[in-house]
Amino acid sequence: MPIRWQLLLRPADPTRTTRVPPTQLHGLACTLLEGITADHYSQTKPFSITPLVEAPQRPGHATLALGWLDDRTIPPLDTLRGERVRLGSQFFTIEDIRTASAPYPALQALPATHTATLTFLSVTHFTRSGRWIPLPDPELLYASLARRWNTFAPHPLPDPLITDLLTTVRLTAHELRSAPADLGPATRTGFTGHATFTLPHTTPPDTASAFTSLSAYAEAAGTGAQTTHGLGWTTTTLHPQDTRPPPQNPQPPLSTVSPTDMPPSRNRTAQGKPGRAPFGATGSPRSTP
């Protein structure tokens, strides 16, 4: 089932912490989640990772989150407290791990909505025919989420349902800024910020339900390309159908909550208020150690 682990890390030498490149994040995720028997060349990976960021309210500490999508097996990350991990030339001790999960049936059972706001906390981009797309194209975004869902969920979404969703979902509001994705010689231009996606009021209930499930799923799966390298870190706000989303600056859901104070996962808030997707909070994206 989709799971997010929030790791609180203490650097061995706080004076030497530097920005961690995506390749090192990818290496750590592979080490912790895949093991030596995994298919490292699979086009659709069962995990995502966020950038390493400063831990709010814990000076000298860092935090990152790992998402897991495969319903058949769950890596034993909860046993790693006290273990030492390496990111490039830096070493960190895992001081705490917080877990939030949302089984696929629970995601499918979320109250259907026609509007969702996705906040992109790390650089996000999409690819099409060998070209990168530095915009939150709704068809590319939800097609990639549906592909990951159908790869790992016990009950895939039917192709006609996905087609109906991709032909009806619209980007209706955004506040974005361009940003580089530093991938060494393969630097890409992406974006950060937030975007609101909406379905028509005439959308069939099963399509609206799939839209809701996939929007919430983005918190574990990430969005766009190279989510296994720290790109596409996403949080989701689901808007009840009887309200309109705020015109600008939706609060990144729980983005400023300390990982040591992270609440358990939860479903929708009271009717009439925007609802959080059912995964736990992540660390503040303000800076990278």
Side-chain angles (χ1 to χ4, degrees):
M1 60 181 166
I3 295 177
R4 281 179 66 86
W5 293 280
Q6 180 88 8
L7 276 60
L8 180 66
L9 305 175
R10 175 171 50 82
D13 183 357
T15 65
R16 293 188 62 248
T17 55
T18 59
R19 187 175 300 275
V20 177
T23 53
Q24 293 179 6
L25 291 168
H26 180 71
L28 176 63
C30 290
T31 299
L32 295 179
L33 297 175
E34 285 197 309
I36 60 175
T37 61
D39 180 6
H40 298 290
Y41 299 99
S42 173
Q43 292 297 309
T44 304
K45 296 284 191 178
F47 65 88
S48 65
I49 188 169
T50 70
L52 186 73
V53 298
E54 181 181 275
Q57 303 179 15
R58 292 297 299 269
H61 289 68
T63 184
L64 59 77
L66 295 146
W68 184 255
L69 309 178
D70 195 342
D71 211 41
R72 296 166 296 181
T73 181
I74 300 175
L77 255 66
D78 290 334
T79 65
L80 295 180
R81 287 181 180 85
E83 295 291 328
R84 198 183 195 202
V85 296
R86 178 176 179 177
L87 278 167
S89 61
Q90 304 177 60
F91 290 90
F92 299 84
T93 299
I94 302 176
E95 286 198 348
D96 193 20
I97 302 174
R98 299 296 178 93
T99 304
S101 63
Y104 284 100
L107 292 173
Q108 291 180 300
L110 291 172
T113 182
H114 287 198
T115 305
T117 297
L118 273 58
T119 300
F120 309 102
L121 298 176
S122 68
V123 179
T124 304
H125 74 98
F126 299 87
T127 59
R128 172 185 279 167
S129 302
R131 296 179 295 116
W132 70 86
I133 310 296
L135 292 169
D137 180 280
E139 181 177 354
L140 293 178
L141 190 152
Y142 282 93
S144 66
L145 289 171
R147 182 174 60 253
R148 293 172 203 175
W149 180 288
N150 281 2
T151 300
F152 302 111
H155 301 292
L157 299 173
D159 288 341
L161 182 62
I162 297 174
T163 299
D164 188 40
L165 171 60
L166 299 184
T167 56
T168 56
V169 64
R170 299 289 184 265
L171 173 64
T172 54
H174 66 81
E175 187 172 336
L176 304 168
R177 58 183 177 274
S178 298
D182 185 7
L183 300 170
T187 299
R188 300 284 187 263
T189 298
F191 59 89
T192 59
H194 60 81
T196 297
F197 301 90
T198 305
L199 298 176
H201 290 297
T202 56
T203 300
D206 56 348
T207 303
S209 179
F211 167 76
T212 304
S213 300
L214 292 176
S215 297
Y217 188 57
E219 292 209 342
T223 53
Q226 294 175 297
T227 55
T228 63
H229 290 68
L231 276 63
W233 176 18
T234 303
T235 57
T236 301
T237 301
L238 302 176
H239 301 279
Q241 294 190 46
D242 59 348
T243 64
R244 294 181 179 272
Q248 60 182 1
N249 294 328
Q251 178 66 29
L254 301 181
S255 64
T256 59
V257 174
S258 165
T260 59
D261 298 323
M262 188 174 64
S265 62
R266 57 185 179 180
N267 287 329
R268 306 282 64 75
T269 59
Q271 187 172 357
K273 298 180 180 179
R276 281 282 291 116
F279 294 96
T282 51
S284 168
R286 293 174 299 173
S287 61
T288 302

